[in-house]
């Protein structure tokens, strides 16, 4: 029996993988989606299908997340529209680079190496910060009680204040009392769009810190605007890839079905488990993803197909490890709360 | 794949993205309803 051209076993595999990724996305607020494209590459899909389907998955996930955040008033629409303009150009350039590299037969290798560097770098940073124990290396997602109309300009990092001091006109006034050059916004948007189009990721794990550190947007507004923007960048990116046959619904539909459920579990767990306790696992998972892509590339170069299996086990295993740690910690915390008779948040 | 092969590329691409959009909204509403209906019972069952 087959649906969307996939066997039921493959559909079940994608639903299960989506569930793991959804738990990670719901809990950490970032990072889950950029395991999808490497996993699809490891499974032997063409680069354009892996990237295009990854983008379509990011689009669906961000629609769900934006629906959850829509009433919180955390979206700066002016900034969002400017980001969309810059990101669209970046995605188109990124997509053209992928298609050109694919013609040369280099796309898989170059995308894989970029993934190894990015995942490895971010994974090493998150692990280092978690081991150091100062709570850094991620984005605080407990932002729902912050009034987005409040003047938060005093909370802006020093580096953002320095960048904002270079007043290249036209200057744009943003929510939270921030004024920044249009060119800086477009530059950040183009760079993150380029990564989205090239790697098939939403770009949130780079755009969120960029909005905060480079543009100086307060975190609550950066979260909402980023989600709003990903709906469009993911939608436009997947549309562009779909035009060239790069979106496979047999991959996207089951992944999204699993991840939407997992995201509810993950976001519920944030009110029960201390993120810092789990963050070291998250860093190790990113490092596991980087090693998996590297192992796959070595397998391709040396002609050892068994390394593809090792790579797949590393990706699924590391996602399983961290999402399992989230669920296990949540259940332990709930049992402790029940035992002590204290109230449990929803 | 879903009977769109006769359409021009842009229309087929738009239809594919539309399917993902509709699925996302159905999942948001559907899982929300399921969570409301059985979420607390499930937590009680898991922690008892």
């Amino acid at each position: 029996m087959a649906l969307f051209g996939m066997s039921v076993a493959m559909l079940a595999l994608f639903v299960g993988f989506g569930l793991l990724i959804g738990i990670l996305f719901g809990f950490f607020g970032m990072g889950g989606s950029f395991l999808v494209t490497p996993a699809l590459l490891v499974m032997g899909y063409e680069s354009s299908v892996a990237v295009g389907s990854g983008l379509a998955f990011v689009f669906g996930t961000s629609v769900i997340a934006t629906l959850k955040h829509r009433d919180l008033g955390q979206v700066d629409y002016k900034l969002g529209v400017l980001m969309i303009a810059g990101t669209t150009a970046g995605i188109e350039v990124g997509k053209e680079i992928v298609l050109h590299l694919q013609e040369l037969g280099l796309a898989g290798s170059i995308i894989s190496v970029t993934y190894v560097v990015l995942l490895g770098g971010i994974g090493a940073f998150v692990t280092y910060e978690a081991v150091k124990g100062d709570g850094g290396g991620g984005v605080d997602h407990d932002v729902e009680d912050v009034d987005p109309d409040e003047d938060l300009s005093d909370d802006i990092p020093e580096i953002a204040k320095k960048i904002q001091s270079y007043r290249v006109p036209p200057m744009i006034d943003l929510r939270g009392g921030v004024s920044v050059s249009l060119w800086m916004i477009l530059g950040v948007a183009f760079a993150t769009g380029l990564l989205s189009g090239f790697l098939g990721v939403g770009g949130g794990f780079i755009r969120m810190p960029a909005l905060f550190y480079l543009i100086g947007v307060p975190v609550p507004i950066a979260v909402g605007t980023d989600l709003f923007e990903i709906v469009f960048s993911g939608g436009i990116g997947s549309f562009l890839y779909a035009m060239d046959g790069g979106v496979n619904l047999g991959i996207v539909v089951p992944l999204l079905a699993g991840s939407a459920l997992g995201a509810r579990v993950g976001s519920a767990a944030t009110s029960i488990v201390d993120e810092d306790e789990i963050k070291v696992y998250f860093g190790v998972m990113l490092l596991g993803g980087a090693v998996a892509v590297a192992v796959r590339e070595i397998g391709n170069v040396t002609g050892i197909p068994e390394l593809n299996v090792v790579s797949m086990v590393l990706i699924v295993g590391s996602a399983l490890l961290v999402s399992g740690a989230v669920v296990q910690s949540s259940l332990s915390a709930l049992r402790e709360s029940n035992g002590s008779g204290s109230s449990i948040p929803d | 794949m879903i009977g769109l092969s006769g359409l021009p590329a842009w229309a087929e691409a738009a239809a594919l993205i539309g399917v993902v959009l509709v699925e996302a909204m159905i999942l948001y509403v559907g899982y929300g309803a399921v969570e409301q209906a059985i979420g607390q019972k499930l937590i009680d069952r898991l922690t008892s």
Side-chain angles (χ1 to χ4, degrees):
Chain A
M1 187 178 158
L3 284 169
F4 298 113
M6 291 270 173
S7 69
V8 173
M10 281 300 286
L11 289 174
L13 177 75
F14 282 128
V15 170
F17 190 50
L19 184 72
L20 300 182
I21 288 172
I23 291 173
L24 300 174
F25 180 78
F27 189 78
F28 293 104
M30 63 174 197
S33 59
F34 65 105
L35 285 173
V36 170
T37 302
L40 295 176
L41 286 170
V42 165
M43 291 172 79
Y45 286 99
E46 264 188 32
S47 301
S48 58
V49 173
V51 175
S53 300
L55 273 172
F57 170 69
V58 165
F59 166 66
T61 308
S62 62
V63 166
I64 294 170
T66 304
L67 285 169
K68 286 184 80 170
H69 283 257
R70 66 185 159 163
D71 295 329
L72 296 172
Q74 294 171 348
V75 179
D76 186 323
Y77 291 100
K78 191 200 298 179
L79 175 62
V81 169
L82 291 173
M83 291 292 291
I84 289 164
T87 305
T88 306
I91 288 174
E92 181 60 31
V93 173
K95 188 203 81 170
E96 290 302 324
I97 292 171
V98 170
L99 293 177
H100 181 65
L101 289 173
Q102 201 159 287
E103 280 175 18
L104 298 175
L106 297 171
S109 301
I110 292 180
I111 289 173
S112 296
V113 168
T114 310
Y115 259 107
V116 170
V117 172
L118 261 179
L119 280 178
I122 296 170
F125 175 71
V126 172
T127 307
Y128 171 74
E129 292 291 332
V131 170
K132 210 170 72 175
D134 67 354
V139 176
D140 181 9
H141 44 212
D142 293 334
V143 295
E144 298 180 3
D145 295 332
V146 179
D147 180 1
D149 291 325
E150 186 184 345
D151 188 337
L152 299 168
S153 52
D154 288 344
D155 298 333
I156 294 169
E158 284 304 315
I159 186 172
K161 286 180 181 169
K162 179 76 178 169
I163 290 168
Q164 287 169 36
S165 69
Y166 301 111
R167 303 183 71 81
V168 182
M171 299 298 288
I172 307 289
D173 293 325
L174 304 174
R175 294 182 73 176
V178 179
S179 179
V180 69
S181 170
L182 170 68
W183 305 110
M184 174 58 74
I185 296 171
L186 292 179
V188 168
F190 181 82
T192 53
L194 192 65
L195 272 174
S196 294
F198 187 62
L199 296 177
V201 295
F205 68 100
I206 288 171
R207 190 162 38 241
M208 278 276 293
L211 283 172
F212 182 61
Y213 287 109
L214 298 182
I215 298 183
V217 178
V219 170
I221 298 169
V223 171
T225 306
D226 184 43
L227 284 169
F228 170 74
E229 204 271 334
I230 291 174
V231 169
F232 288 88
S233 61
I236 293 165
S238 44
F239 177 79
L240 292 173
Y241 272 92
M243 294 261 285
D244 295 315
V247 173
N248 185 337
L249 279 184
I251 297 168
V252 180
V253 167
L255 268 181
L256 194 54
S259 77
L261 179 61
R264 285 188 175 270
V265 174
S267 63
T270 58
S271 59
I272 302 167
V273 182
D274 180 6
E275 184 183 350
D276 291 335
E277 288 176 13
I278 306 286
K279 200 173 280 171
V280 66
Y281 292 103
F282 183 60
V284 170
M285 181 193 72
L286 297 181
L287 286 172
V291 172
V293 177
V295 165
R296 172 187 160 274
E297 269 315 294
I298 292 168
N300 285 348
V301 171
T302 56
I304 305 173
E306 288 80 9
L307 288 181
N308 263 353
V309 179
V310 173
S311 177
M312 192 66 198
V313 168
L314 271 170
I315 287 182
V316 176
S318 51
L320 192 60
L321 170 78
V322 184
S323 51
V326 170
V327 172
Q328 177 60 39
S329 299
S330 303
L331 289 175
S332 299
L334 281 169
R335 287 190 181 119
E336 275 177 31
S337 300
N338 275 4
S340 63
S342 59
S343 64
I344 301 161
D346 291 335
Chain B
M1 189 182 293
I2 54 170
L4 301 171
S5 50
L7 296 175
W10 67 266
E12 191 174 341
L16 284 174
I17 305 311
V19 168
V20 177
L21 179 64
V22 169
E23 186 198 4
M25 291 196 287
I26 290 172
L27 289 172
Y28 176 72
V29 174
Y31 284 148
V34 170
E35 186 179 324
Q36 288 285 327
I38 63 164
Q40 193 55 50
K41 284 179 195 163
L42 187 63
I43 287 174
D44 292 343
R45 185 83 179 261
L46 288 170
T47 56
S48 61

